[in-house]
Amino acid sequence: MERLLVPSLPILGGRMLPLLKHYRAVGVHHPLTWRSVLQTSGTKHNQIGSCSAKCLANHDGASVSEKNGPKNSALPDNLLLDARILYCTSPALGHNKEAHPESNKRVPAIVDALEKLELSPKHRGSQVLEIQNFDPASPDDVARVHSRSYITGLEKAMSRASDEGLIFIEGTGPTYATATTFQESILSAGAGITLVDSVVAASKLGPNPPIGFALVRPPGHHAVPEGPMGFCVFGNIAVAARYAQHQHGLKRVMIIDFDVHHGNGTCDAFYDDPDIFFLSTHQLGSYPGTGKIHQVGQGNGEGTTLNLPLPGGAGDYAMRCAFDEIIAPSAQRFKPDIILVSAGYDAHALDHLASLQFTTGTFYMLASSIRQLAKDLCGGRCVFFLEGGYNLQSLSSSVADTFRAFLDEPSLAAQFDDPAMLFEEPTRKIKEAIEKAKGIHSL
């Protein structure tokens, strides 16, 4: 398994300052400069098509195909009223590298678990809906977060990726691209936009809209405005946040990121924005080395970034304390119009890219608590986005238990979690970190 490596980016005041023209990217056969990768002329790829709107509801379950055209919910009102969960899948099957932890097996493993545990539309009917054939994000959608030069450059680089099979696009880091990476990445960003549309539409019909979950890859929270980073190509959750503001007038957006790694790309995108509150819990000292507790935003955005680095070994106790003492009070004070969640499952004790020890039960607690927070504060408007999680067993069982939390059904964590795999949490260090964050942010 590959180790995450910190790319050679200068860091100033907690802000990543990417200089892409200085990157080195290694192709299959020879080294390239990042600029040469992005300036390579390539053939145009056909846009991923969308089907006409149709609802497929029968004894096999319900799935919805969205109409090509303006971005809004194509779901009939009765389906939106009945649904408890809306989800989209974008497995990016062509974006894959042999033996890479961020593989194309991740989303199919989740889908298989949902089916086996009878949490799929086939078993749940109108309670659980999968939206299919949604539109990819437009260049304008993505450009609210990422530079135009990065977007167009990556699209052009697909020609070289097609010729060579696979190229590295981050220089010293582990982010790769294949011939399908651009199209599959904008499709994954489009999944989040589609779910925002649908959840917002449902919230206008009643007080209990369904929660959305974008089961997509590549993940997004490390991608900085000027380029890719840490397995991530486009900032899916950041794109959705800007879309919610511009398309739906949801001015105040809260982003909760519980991936084991700091979501530096999301943090950078909104570091000076007073209307987007970014809150990250992550392992102290882990990749990419950002997310220090004293980094709180800058300019007008000072105070709307909250980083809570947790010591290695932190687990269920730490996150219950963090939710009660940090996440909930921060949300209650901020008063968001929508809550978006970077749901990384790599903090699980069985995931070896870091050393926190969350369990399936920890993720169930987080999903249940965030769902209730959204109901209390913003009319239930909430969308989750898949980020990390590389042990297929713990990833799939934890996402499945997240679905059970959304359905207000008991956790099955006891079937998946072996208490023998856990060791005592460093409670003193956990309490010190939480108290320090509370002091910095006057919680």
Side-chain angles (χ1 to χ4, degrees):
M1 182 175 292
E2 298 187 9
R3 290 177 58 83
L4 283 163
L5 300 174
V6 180
S8 52
L9 295 175
I11 302 173
L12 179 62
R15 299 276 287 156
M16 302 297 292
L17 303 175
L19 303 173
L20 290 182
K21 64 184 179 181
H22 295 310
Y23 278 17
R24 299 288 294 177
V26 180
V28 173
H29 301 298
H30 55 273
L32 305 164
T33 63
W34 170 256
R35 177 174 286 182
S36 73
V37 171
L38 291 190
Q39 290 181 345
T40 301
S41 297
T43 56
K44 292 183 178 179
H45 297 274
N46 294 327
Q47 188 180 41
I48 299 170
S50 299
C51 299
S52 300
K54 58 182 178 179
C55 175
L56 310 173
N58 51 43
H59 65 280
D60 291 328
S63 62
V64 176
S65 297
E66 286 238 334
K67 182 180 179 181
N68 191 12
K71 297 180 181 69
N72 51 41
S73 176
L75 281 68
D77 288 356
N78 64 311
L79 283 181
L80 287 175
L81 283 168
D82 291 343
R84 304 287 295 279
I85 300 172
L86 301 175
Y87 72 99
C88 297
T89 62
S90 179
L93 297 178
H95 176 80
N96 192 56
K97 178 181 180 294
E98 188 70 24
H100 197 286
E102 207 293 287
S103 77
N104 62 2
K105 297 178 182 178
R106 296 176 67 230
V107 174
I110 294 169
V111 173
D112 287 348
L114 295 178
E115 182 65 29
K116 290 176 182 177
L117 294 169
E118 300 185 353
L119 293 165
S120 66
K122 174 181 177 181
H123 299 283
R124 297 303 181 121
S126 60
Q127 272 194 323
V128 178
L129 299 180
E130 179 183 6
I131 302 175
Q132 298 178 337
N133 299 322
F134 44 89
D135 290 338
S138 71
D140 287 342
D141 294 328
V142 181
R144 291 194 182 103
V145 174
H146 296 284
S147 69
R148 295 269 182 187
S149 60
Y150 168 48
I151 298 166
T152 57
L154 181 64
E155 184 175 21
K156 291 178 180 178
M158 295 301 93
S159 175
R160 185 178 292 275
S162 180
D163 291 342
E164 300 188 6
L166 184 144
I167 58 176
F168 285 92
I169 57 175
E170 194 195 327
T172 60
T175 311
Y176 63 87
T178 65
T180 61
T181 292
F182 181 80
Q183 287 190 320
E184 290 176 322
S185 296
I186 61 171
L187 185 63
S188 291
I193 286 173
T194 295
L195 289 168
V196 167
D197 283 337
S198 299
V199 167
V200 171
S203 72
K204 296 175 180 178
L205 300 174
N208 297 302
I211 288 189
F213 204 139
L215 297 174
V216 301
R217 57 177 294 273
H221 73 153
H222 291 311
V224 294
E226 295 295 332
M229 187 173 170
F231 305 169
C232 301
V233 177
F234 292 135
N236 303 316
I237 197 167
V239 169
R242 284 293 186 224
Y243 180 84
Q245 290 180 318
H246 285 261
Q247 186 71 18
H248 294 289
L250 299 175
K251 181 180 180 182
R252 297 177 70 78
V253 181
M254 183 167 193
I255 299 175
I256 300 170
D257 187 331
F258 56 72
D259 191 278
V260 76
H261 304 109
H262 179 242
N264 61 290
T266 313
C267 183
D268 279 6
F270 307 125
Y271 202 66
D272 57 1
D273 190 331
D275 294 321
I276 295 186
F277 194 107
F278 174 72
L279 190 157
S280 175
T281 61
H282 49 274
Q283 184 178 333
L284 178 68
S286 65
Y287 177 92
T290 53
K292 308 300 184 185
I293 199 167
H294 62 271
Q295 294 168 353
V296 299
Q298 68 180 13
N300 292 334
E302 186 173 347
T304 54
T305 293
L306 191 157
N307 289 305
L308 179 60
L310 296 170
D316 192 78
Y317 167 80
M319 282 310 294
R320 289 181 185 275
C321 293
F323 186 87
D324 291 343
E325 300 184 45
I326 300 290
I327 298 173
S330 296
Q332 290 159 359
R333 184 168 65 186
F334 183 68
K335 298 179 174 60
D337 297 315
I338 188 170
I339 295 175
L340 306 180
V341 182
S342 274
Y345 293 87
D346 43 2
H348 197 285
L350 294 178
D351 200 301
H352 298 304
L353 283 191
S355 56
L356 294 187
Q357 50 174 348
F358 290 11
T359 65
T360 307
T362 311
F363 294 113
Y364 177 92
M365 178 276 296
L366 285 168
S368 179
S369 300
I370 293 171
R371 169 178 170 266
Q372 186 60 50
L373 200 61
K375 289 181 66 174
D376 294 342
L377 299 179
C378 54
R381 290 183 290 271
C382 183
V383 180
F384 277 52
F385 293 74
L386 181 65
E387 298 286 0
Y390 308 105
N391 178 302
L392 299 183
Q393 176 187 341
S394 59
L395 169 66
S396 57
S397 62
S398 296
V399 173
D401 230 37
T402 296
F403 270 49
R404 293 186 66 84
F406 293 163
L407 294 167
D408 201 23
E409 296 180 2
S411 171
L412 295 182
Q415 297 183 18
F416 304 112
D417 295 335
D418 179 5
M421 70 181 177
L422 304 175
F423 54 91
E424 186 176 357
E425 294 185 48
T427 54
R428 181 182 59 81
K429 291 182 179 180
I430 292 166
K431 290 177 182 178
E432 288 174 353
I434 290 174
E435 288 303 315
K436 186 171 183 178
K438 288 170 65 177
I440 292 171
H441 292 272
S442 302
L443 294 172

